[in-house]
Amino acid sequence: MSAPAFDALLPSDAALVVAFSGGLDSTVLLHQLRAWQQQHPESSLRALHVHHGLSPNADRWAAHCQARCAEWQLPCDVLRVSVDGRDSGIEAAARAARYQALSAALQPGEILLTAQHLDDQCETFLLALKRGSGPAGLAAMPARRMLGSHPLVRPLLNQSRQVLEAYADRHQLVWIEDESNQDLRYDRNFLRQQLLPALHQRWPHFAAAAARSAALCSEQEQLLDELLADALSALIQPDGSLCFTPLLRMSEPRANALLRRWIAGQGGAMPSRDALKRIQEEVMASREDAQPRLRLGQAEVRRYRQQLYWLPLQASLRDRVLAWPDLSQPLTLPQHLGSLRASQAVGQLRFPRPDEQVSVRFHAQGHVHLAGRHGGREMKKVWQALQIPPWQRDRLPLIFYNQTLISAPGLFVTREGAAIDAPGWQVVWDRASGPGEEE
């Protein structure tokens, strides 16, 4: 990659961060960007090395990266991650952990650069073909995408490994070799070691041709995005859910295309054709009184009142009990649900008696009597009347005095908890994202 090519991709005052493994590809990229940055002194450059801990040489690789950056007078931080490949396999788990760590380490305004090249693009295309992917999967890796709020740029996608090796030899660069790259149990290594050499020997420009096919698939997907944008926007509700009833009247290809784009917009991985079929048959077409749920990776699709919801998998809070002994101090809730604090601005709740302990729970059942209403109702009916989806019911903090339900902040007060002709207090729920709710 020449300096003019970087000029077309990067602003002259860019804050650049290179994902630096220490291998050939990222070593070449970092060396090239160092030269570019020296020509653009208003820009900045640093490196991040992800320490997966999967190899006995991982510490040595991290030390190599830090030494190389010290030689080039560049900052280099080592990010240590743990990889659990039991669900999705080591390759996918390591990739997910790597990008999560890189994203978390980026500062506002920084651009992340990774060193995937033309041969990597060819491998990604063939792996997608092996999985039976459609145009979205066959589009392989884009040269530019967003990683959270940060641009992720791959400036070497048009460069072959042979070109990178020649650059490294010319500049006498030193890099490390990951021994796992020789392990043919990994699909990408099998392609790299066994299949692609034969393809390149027969058809020397095979990688470039595969990259062109990937680019054409990407163009088709972009066109579909544009053509379906208005239809998708009309189906997506303010809370991100998808009104699916119109999909039942559409052709299968159109309905699948809209479902894919909705899932992508929710941050989900591209679903297989079988997964889309299961969404339609097991979730959308289930009976009216059912509460269907379908797990897809680390998320699940659920239905509530003719709408689909894409929800991350979370540990149940159903049995959690949090003591709140000192109402003058806020109470932090688990799983990033925010915190509760006591206020006497409006006294809707009676104060607890000396023999009553205040606690917060996330599940209630049985008959309850709401303040200001005649008769009692089953807790399930209360949630239905409040239009609370089933999966949210065990994530709402409930105030208890001993074993008695007193209140759900912002939703209701029970007859047993209401302040009548006496001073009282209220609970303010400061959510992790969004304004607090008051009773």
Side-chain angles (χ1 to χ4, degrees):
M1 176 71 65
S2 63
F6 282 130
D7 288 341
L9 286 172
L10 306 170
S12 61
D13 60 348
L16 306 177
V17 180
V18 172
F20 186 35
S21 70
L24 167 69
D25 315 334
S26 61
T27 299
V28 168
L29 178 60
L30 188 60
H31 186 267
Q32 291 179 338
L33 284 171
R34 175 174 173 264
W36 182 87
Q37 191 268 331
Q38 289 174 340
Q39 297 172 8
H40 299 80
E42 64 272 34
S43 66
S44 63
L45 177 64
R46 68 186 184 102
L48 294 174
H49 174 79
V50 179
H51 186 303
H52 297 91
L54 297 174
S55 168
N57 297 312
D59 289 338
R60 183 171 62 84
W61 295 340
H64 167 89
C65 291
Q66 290 183 308
R68 191 63 58 240
C69 287
E71 177 187 342
W72 292 342
Q73 297 182 324
L74 295 173
C76 178
D77 293 322
V78 175
L79 310 177
R80 294 179 179 270
V81 300
S82 58
V83 179
D84 184 352
R86 288 175 294 181
D87 287 340
S88 56
I90 288 293
E91 286 181 287
R95 180 183 182 277
R98 180 164 60 251
Y99 278 105
Q100 183 177 9
L102 291 169
S103 178
L106 295 175
Q107 302 298 321
E110 287 186 325
I111 299 172
L112 178 67
L113 298 103
T114 58
Q116 291 93 351
H117 50 74
L118 184 65
D119 298 70
D120 294 324
Q121 184 76 313
C122 181
E123 293 163 8
T124 302
F125 179 85
L126 291 175
L127 288 172
L129 192 65
K130 184 265 295 185
R131 292 192 299 268
S133 300
L138 295 174
M141 295 179 289
R144 186 183 184 94
R145 72 174 178 89
M146 296 303 294
L147 181 65
S149 59
H150 298 270
L152 188 160
V153 179
R154 299 182 174 101
L156 302 183
L157 275 184
N158 292 323
Q159 305 290 315
S160 69
R161 180 178 175 86
Q162 185 177 13
V163 169
L164 301 186
E165 288 175 343
Y167 179 95
D169 288 342
R170 188 164 62 251
H171 292 274
Q172 298 182 327
L173 301 182
V174 178
W175 64 90
I176 59 176
E177 293 287 355
D178 185 343
E179 73 278 356
S180 69
N181 288 338
Q182 305 302 317
D183 190 341
L184 298 184
R185 292 176 299 174
Y186 299 130
D187 289 342
R188 191 175 287 273
N189 290 345
F190 170 76
L191 290 176
R192 186 175 301 160
Q193 303 294 335
Q194 300 288 323
L195 184 59
L196 284 175
L199 291 174
H200 289 152
Q201 184 176 5
R202 176 80 181 208
W203 301 296
H205 303 294
F206 182 84
R212 286 197 299 273
S213 293
L216 289 171
C217 289
S218 179
E219 287 183 10
Q220 293 298 312
E221 281 299 292
Q222 183 177 346
L223 176 61
L224 278 176
D225 287 343
E226 295 174 5
L227 294 175
L228 294 174
D230 290 342
L232 183 62
S233 178
L235 296 175
I236 296 179
Q237 306 304 299
D239 61 358
S241 63
L242 184 78
C243 179
F244 67 83
T245 49
L247 299 184
L248 302 176
R249 301 186 293 272
M250 296 179 186
S251 68
E252 183 178 349
R254 184 178 179 86
N256 284 345
L258 288 166
L259 274 175
R260 286 193 186 98
R261 281 155 179 78
W262 171 67
I263 291 173
Q266 297 297 305
M270 184 60 58
S272 66
R273 192 169 185 176
D274 179 65
L276 294 174
K277 184 177 181 181
R278 293 186 65 191
I279 291 174
Q280 295 180 31
E281 293 180 351
E282 300 176 25
V283 183
M284 292 164 55
S286 60
R287 67 179 192 274
E288 286 290 326
D289 60 343
Q291 295 183 12
R293 57 196 303 179
L294 176 64
R295 177 173 175 174
L296 296 174
Q298 296 303 306
E300 62 181 0
V301 179
R302 300 192 64 163
R303 190 191 77 189
Y304 183 67
R305 297 192 174 183
Q306 310 308 311
Q307 291 169 208
L308 295 180
Y309 292 81
W310 181 269
L311 304 168
L313 295 179
Q314 295 171 314
S316 174
L317 295 174
R318 186 182 181 92
D319 298 324
R320 290 290 296 272
V321 178
L322 306 176
W324 196 1
D326 184 359
L327 296 182
S328 67
Q329 298 297 319
L331 180 70
T332 300
L333 301 175
Q335 296 188 14
H336 308 291
L337 290 176
S339 62
L340 302 179
R341 54 187 170 89
S343 171
Q344 297 185 30
V346 178
Q348 292 185 331
L349 297 180
R350 66 174 178 84
F351 286 106
R353 296 188 295 267
D355 62 340
E356 291 178 323
Q357 304 297 316
V358 182
S359 66
V360 175
R361 309 181 187 196
F362 298 88
H363 176 69
Q365 59 186 6
H367 227 56
V368 295
H369 295 82
L370 302 187
R373 299 182 185 178
H374 296 291
R377 308 177 75 179
E378 287 293 327
M379 198 65 224
K380 179 179 178 180
K381 298 294 185 182
V382 173
W383 292 134
Q384 290 174 346
L386 292 169
Q387 300 186 20
I388 305 296
W391 58 88
Q392 290 183 6
R393 296 170 191 175
D394 290 343
R395 299 186 62 78
L396 295 174
L398 305 174
I399 309 301
F400 277 75
Y401 289 173
N402 292 342
Q403 303 302 314
T404 302
L405 175 62
I406 299 299
S407 169
L411 296 173
F412 63 77
V413 176
T414 65
R415 187 185 302 170
E416 295 84 353
I420 301 175
D421 299 327
W425 67 296
Q426 66 178 345
V427 180
V428 179
W429 182 7
D430 294 317
R431 296 176 185 259
S433 59
E437 294 189 19
E438 294 189 4
E439 291 189 313

